[in-house]
Amino acid sequence: SLGLGENNIGNRGVQSLASALAQQNSTLQELYLVKNRAINDSSVDTLVQMLRRNQTINRLWMDDCRLTSKGKE
């Protein structure tokens, strides 16, 4: 697992992280991005694409980020 909660990660950081995990991860199963209030709906598509390419991550935690109800769908 990789715990990155409360690290002031924003949408740009999510893009970088997702890019790396989509191409180079073969072991990470859980990703915790909780309480990163700079993450909003614009990161959702990036994370969805990463999860489609990454076959090992099976849990993504994003509690207390700035996602709207639409972004949470």
Side-chain angles (χ1 to χ4, degrees), residues 49-66:
Q49 292 302 317
M50 180 270 298
L51 291 169
R52 286 183 177 152
R53 294 181 68 187
N54 184 304
Q55 300 298 307
T56 60
I57 294 179
N58 55 37
R59 290 195 176 151
L60 173 62
W61 299 93
M62 295 185 68
D63 300 352
D64 296 324
C65 293
R66 290 213 170 145

Side-chain angles (χ1 to χ4, degrees), residues 2-68:
L2 179 59
L4 297 173
E6 297 183 77
N7 276 292
N8 295 318
I9 296 171
N11 296 319
R12 191 176 292 171
V14 168
Q15 289 176 347
S16 297
L17 180 63
S19 176
L21 291 175
Q23 297 175 12
Q24 300 175 5
N25 176 53
S26 61
T27 57
L28 184 66
Q29 296 179 357
E30 298 178 353
L31 178 58
Y32 296 88
L33 296 174
V34 297
K35 296 184 181 178
N36 284 295
R37 305 239 175 206
I39 297 174
N40 60 37
D41 289 355
S42 65
S43 288
V44 172
D45 287 337
T46 300
L47 290 166
V48 167
Q49 292 302 317
M50 180 270 298
L51 291 169
R52 286 183 177 152
R53 294 181 68 187
N54 184 304
Q55 300 298 307
T56 60
I57 294 179
N58 55 37
R59 290 195 176 151
L60 173 62
W61 299 93
M62 295 185 68
D63 300 352
D64 296 324
C65 293
R66 290 213 170 145
L67 299 178
T68 66

